[in-house]
Amino acid sequence: MGTNNIISTGLHHLGVPYLYNAPPFQTNTFDCSSFIQYIFHKNGITLPRNSRQQFQIGSEISLKKIERGDLLFFTTSKRRKRAGIEKIGHVALYLGNGKILHTFRQGKKVKITKLKSHWKKGLIGARRIHMNQTEKDDN
């Protein structure tokens, strides 16, 4: 199934260093959205480059109904007071069992994190990307 392959691709890159605005389609460094874009791309799904653009792709999912492989979108301290999708500053892949796969902040790496208080407070939406999804589908 596609979701398992996407998760496996992501897990293969655990420990890759974080770099803000990392170049797309390479594996030396990632930021949150280049990581998501890369692991979906390796599985034949084209996503846009940044988290706000990625939020506009796929199907909106209630936060109570998230499943493995869904994308979770978060606000950040710098974006919290903005409106609409401009609030979005982070994206992560939901692994199930309250865990997310992502990379964040300078000096950090691709890692698995529990979806606990800090992350839950900033969680503002979820999307399910369909296996035949491309960035042109919603235009």
Side-chain angles (χ1 to χ4, degrees), residues 10-11 13-16 18 30-33 35-36 39 72 74 90-95 99-105 108-115 118-119:
L11 293 173
H13 296 287
L14 282 169
V16 171
Y18 173 88
F30 292 116
D31 66 14
C32 65
S33 55
F35 175 63
I36 296 299
I39 64 176
L72 303 185
F74 303 83
H90 186 66
V91 59
L93 183 69
Y94 187 62
L95 297 177
K99 294 180 182 174
I100 54 176
L101 179 64
H102 60 153
T103 187
F104 60 98
R105 276 191 254 139
K108 299 288 184 174
K109 301 176 181 196
V110 173
K111 63 192 298 183
I112 296 170
T113 304
K114 289 185 179 179
L115 189 56
H118 168 75
W119 292 106

Side-chain angles (χ1 to χ4, degrees), residues 24-118:
F25 307 114
Q26 53 80 42
T27 59
N28 295 324
T29 57
F30 292 116
D31 66 14
C32 65
S33 55
S34 73
F35 175 63
I36 296 299
Q37 182 188 45
Y38 179 82
I39 64 176
F40 276 80
H41 174 75
K42 290 301 283 184
N43 288 279
I45 300 168
T46 302
L47 294 181
R49 172 63 182 85
N50 76 45
S51 57
R52 286 164 299 288
Q53 294 166 334
Q54 291 171 359
F55 184 74
Q56 296 176 306
I57 300 297
S59 302
E60 186 173 359
I61 300 298
S62 162
L63 296 175
K64 294 177 181 179
K65 295 185 178 185
I66 56 175
E67 296 178 0
R68 282 173 47 89
D70 288 342
L71 295 182
L72 303 185
F73 295 87
F74 303 83
T75 193
T76 61
S77 57
K78 291 181 181 178
R79 292 186 165 271
R80 190 164 283 125
K81 294 181 181 176
R82 296 188 184 182
I85 67 167
E86 291 303 313
K87 289 181 88 122
I88 296 170
H90 186 66
V91 59
L93 183 69
Y94 187 62
L95 297 177
N97 299 317
K99 294 180 182 174
I100 54 176
L101 179 64
H102 60 153
T103 187
F104 60 98
R105 276 191 254 139
Q106 197 70 19
K108 299 288 184 174
K109 301 176 181 196
V110 173
K111 63 192 298 183
I112 296 170
T113 304
K114 289 185 179 179
L115 189 56
K116 286 192 170 179
S117 59
H118 168 75

